[in-house]
Amino acid sequence: MRFDILSIFPEMFASLIDYGIIGRALKRGQIEINLVNLRDFAEGPHLVTDDRPFGGGDGMVMKPEPIVRALESISTGKGEKSVILLTPQGQPFTQSIARGLAMLKQIVLVCGRYEGVDERVRSRYVDTEVSIGDYILTGGELPAMVVVDAVSRLIPGVLGGARSNREESFEDHFLEYPHYTRPRVFQGLEVPSVLLSGDHRRIELWRRTQSIKRTLERRPDLLEKAFFSEADKCILEELKQKHGKPSHIGDQESDHDQ
Ligand code: ADE
């Protein structure tokens, strides 16, 4: 997977490139990141990349020419490519969008700043507009990092064989169960005994129950899309009987309950 990232602040990506799993994937050649400085494609003595909006109003708009010249400079190989504009007006970024993007060969991320980019760039050059949430950031750089991170970890080998197949939050529309590590007792709080039992079937049942319970408590909206196995339906029924209305579950029992 190759990511081309267009930004006026390419230096912001140093933290993504130099550290952790993404840094390692880059070193191993599992992903490639090409940072494109939009200023290199600006003209005039001041290398201006923004201008005042036609029609007046506050703020500045990113000029189309540097973005289009930068887009045209990007080499495209074989395989599917997508040009994505990061904007609060885009479609909400989800795990399923990340999965779809992970199938591509090349992703071009255009990071807007100020009030946004000239509409003609959006309409003519952008395939998809993506938002990472209903809040306004100062630019598309952090959202672009979110996309690179979420997509890269789905590329086979990036997380390492065993972990890539792990059950994860959102994969099946349930939140993850609580995790514990040593020590067994921390500040008087004990690890649920079932996790120390060595009984893998009981542990699996406990984890699935916790997963469903957490989703009911915190994100009942996810359940609309969730797939419930017959065993899941039994767990759900039991939880409902035990706790009454799903929205009240959290008031009655803590995550430490077994
Ligand atoms: N640019 C500014 N805010 C954003 C957001 N929430 N998502 C994507 N791009 C953005």
Side-chain angles (χ1 to χ4, degrees):
M1 166 71 73
R2 171 177 156 150
F3 297 95
D4 297 274
I5 304 174
L6 279 58
S7 163
I8 57 166
F9 295 128
E11 299 81 7
M12 281 182 74
F13 292 84
S15 56
L16 180 73
I17 285 168
D18 292 340
Y19 298 97
I21 287 168
I22 303 302
R24 190 181 66 187
L26 277 166
K27 281 194 197 98
R28 288 177 173 174
Q30 290 163 324
I31 60 168
E32 210 184 311
I33 296 182
N34 173 36
L35 293 172
V36 181
N37 190 341
L38 285 171
R39 193 108 28 220
D40 293 342
F41 296 88
E43 284 183 329
H46 301 295
L47 303 177
V48 170
T49 55
D50 60 323
D51 207 340
R52 284 169 299 159
F54 277 120
D58 287 340
M60 300 291 270
V61 177
M62 289 184 79
K63 287 168 70 60
E65 306 93 317
I67 298 176
V68 170
R69 279 196 286 265
L71 284 172
E72 285 171 349
S73 80
I74 289 170
S75 63
T76 50
K78 284 201 190 108
E80 268 198 89
K81 171 188 125 188
S82 188
V83 177
I84 297 176
L85 174 68
L86 287 315
T87 163
Q89 295 162 48
Q91 63 178 130
F93 189 56
T94 59
Q95 188 66 16
S96 110
I97 292 179
R99 276 213 169 277
L101 294 177
M103 314 269 209
L104 303 176
K105 280 274 169 281
Q106 185 174 11
I107 297 174
V108 180
L109 296 161
V110 182
C111 305
R113 282 259 144 193
Y114 319 112
E115 294 308 302
V117 308
D118 187 287
E119 188 63 22
R120 292 160 293 185
V121 173
R122 295 160 66 120
S123 60
R124 188 155 283 184
Y125 292 90
V126 170
D127 299 315
T128 316
E129 296 175 38
V130 164
S131 162
I132 63 155
D134 290 340
Y135 39 79
I136 314 289
L137 300 167
T138 54
E141 283 76 9
L142 288 171
M145 289 188 227
V146 167
V147 172
V148 171
D149 192 290
V151 171
S152 297
R153 62 187 292 291
L154 294 174
I155 293 167
V158 166
L159 289 184
R163 284 177 63 190
S164 55
N165 292 326
R166 234 188 58 192
E167 280 177 42
E168 285 184 297
S169 285
F170 303 115
E171 289 299 296
D172 60 359
H173 302 284
F174 291 109
L175 299 182
E176 269 198 82
Y177 50 80
H179 299 275
Y180 296 88
T181 186
R182 287 185 290 185
R184 240 170 110 153
V185 183
F186 176 69
Q187 296 186 347
L189 298 171
E190 291 201 27
V191 172
S193 58
V194 60
L195 297 178
L196 312 170
S197 68
D199 182 338
H200 295 294
R201 284 188 55 178
R202 271 185 67 215
I203 292 172
E204 203 184 308
L205 178 64
W206 181 86
R207 286 181 166 163
R208 193 65 180 168
T209 306
Q210 291 296 318
S211 222
I212 294 173
K213 182 170 171 279
R214 271 204 167 172
T215 314
L216 272 167
E217 287 169 5
R218 300 179 186 191
R219 293 292 307 276
D221 57 299
L222 291 177
L223 294 175
E224 278 161 38
K225 291 188 198 144
F227 171 76
F228 283 90
S229 67
E230 287 307 312
D232 291 338
K233 283 180 197 160
C234 292
I235 294 172
L236 187 66
E237 268 321 298
E238 254 181 55
L239 282 170
K240 280 183 177 168
Q241 274 173 19
K242 220 166 151 188
H243 301 281
K245 271 181 150 180
S247 55
H248 293 151
I249 286 174
D251 301 339
Q252 293 163 11
E253 209 175 4
S254 84
D255 280 345
H256 274 78
D257 299 322
Q258 292 162 46

